[in-house]
Amino acid sequence: MPDQSLIDDLITANHILFRQGVVDAYGHVSARSPDDPEHFFLTWAVAPALARASDVLTFDLEGNTPDAAGRELYSERYIHAAVYKNRPDVMGVVHSHSPAIIPFTVCDVELQPIWHMSAFLADGVGLFDTQDVAGDTDLLIKNIELGEALAKTLGTGWVALLRGHGNVVAGRSVREAVYRAIYTEANAQLQEKALRMGTRVKYLTPGEAALMNAYMKPDVRRPWELWAHDADGR
Ligand SMILES: [Zn+2]
């Protein structure tokens, strides 16, 4: 039986990501079970803004669930399964098509931390291209093999971009994954603006990023309280 407070966080995470412009009808967020790390929680294929606790299903690390009962599943649930399988430290995952990052998936410009709020990007941003591993596809991560290849690209970082598609963002909690998804989108918007003003953009140094990352806590209390209040009145 999942911890109700984690399920509450997961539902609020769905609503926050919509309110903050990270997901629309598409995109999804999951939370790993702290009591049973071989399983994670994710809704069936509902639009995130409409998610309720009764929509949450339990999945294994191959992306299977015994609970579907005829309901449609997210075709890209394998993203979550593979990241949890490859990264024992990850407790929350967001997959989205948040718009400002898309140009960074198709142009030769690396997404880098432009401000302290996105210092986590300094741990590396991988670029995954389905073309490299499977040739022409619909670009969706629709099986565990593609999920594994994507997880390999994520490596030890927190963000990986998917060419012509979107991104995957990981956190030490579902709250942190939400924070990072929001600030990955914000960073992309600001970096694109800075690059229009000048080509010699000064990004955070590795030392600055490491100090900021040490300061940030996985519960991201202050922004979470604000976003949850805005999305759910919590
Ligand atoms: Zn997708």
Side-chain angles (χ1 to χ4, degrees):
M1 191 65 192
D3 176 358
Q4 193 54 47
S5 66
L6 181 64
I7 299 303
D8 289 346
D9 269 12
L10 180 59
I11 295 308
T12 299
N14 273 272
H15 302 167
I16 289 172
L17 289 167
F18 175 71
R19 292 279 292 180
Q20 296 295 320
V22 173
V23 301
D24 48 23
Y26 298 98
H28 21 89
V29 52
S30 66
R32 190 205 289 266
S33 169
D35 305 320
D36 178 13
E38 300 293 301
H39 290 86
F40 66 93
F41 307 118
L42 177 71
T43 65
W44 65 281
V46 291
L50 306 181
R52 296 164 303 174
S54 58
D55 298 319
V56 175
L57 310 177
T58 304
F59 290 83
D60 66 22
L61 300 189
E62 298 294 323
N64 300 315
T65 180
D67 308 332
R71 289 172 288 188
E72 183 191 347
L73 302 177
Y74 293 125
S75 61
E76 298 191 284
R77 58 193 179 278
Y78 304 101
I79 294 173
H80 304 262
V83 171
Y84 291 128
K85 194 195 276 192
N86 283 272
R87 287 283 299 275
D89 57 328
V90 168
M91 298 302 285
V93 173
V94 174
H95 168 58
S96 82
H97 313 142
S98 70
I101 64 104
I102 300 299
F104 290 88
T105 75
V106 295
C107 294
D108 189 19
V109 178
E110 206 183 326
L111 189 68
Q112 295 184 66
I114 195 158
W115 60 344
H116 62 309
M117 303 304 289
S118 308
F120 56 90
L121 294 174
D123 291 342
V125 177
L127 176 58
F128 180 74
D129 191 340
T130 40
Q131 190 67 232
D132 293 341
V133 290
D136 285 343
T137 65
D138 54 19
L139 280 79
L140 300 173
I141 308 301
K142 286 200 298 198
N143 58 56
I144 194 66
E145 290 76 24
L146 283 170
E148 295 269 12
L150 171 59
K152 202 183 224 182
T153 300
L154 179 68
T156 57
W158 303 107
V159 178
L161 307 184
L162 288 82
R163 195 267 303 167
H165 177 170
N167 64 356
V168 56
V169 181
R172 296 169 293 175
S173 66
V174 67
R175 294 183 176 200
E176 188 173 61
V178 166
Y179 169 94
R180 288 173 171 166
I182 291 168
Y183 279 104
T184 297
E185 171 70 12
N187 195 95
Q189 293 176 14
L190 291 170
Q191 187 175 342
E192 195 265 337
K193 274 186 188 155
L195 286 166
R196 271 191 273 136
M197 293 174 68
T199 51
R200 286 177 298 162
V201 176
K202 188 165 185 178
Y203 299 102
L204 263 64
T205 68
E208 287 170 343
L211 287 167
M212 184 60 193
N213 286 330
Y215 171 74
M216 293 298 291
K217 296 186 177 63
D219 67 353
V220 293
R221 182 191 58 79
R222 201 186 324 171
W224 181 268
E225 286 176 357
L226 172 65
W227 294 329
H229 177 76
D230 171 62
D232 278 350
R234 279 175 72 190

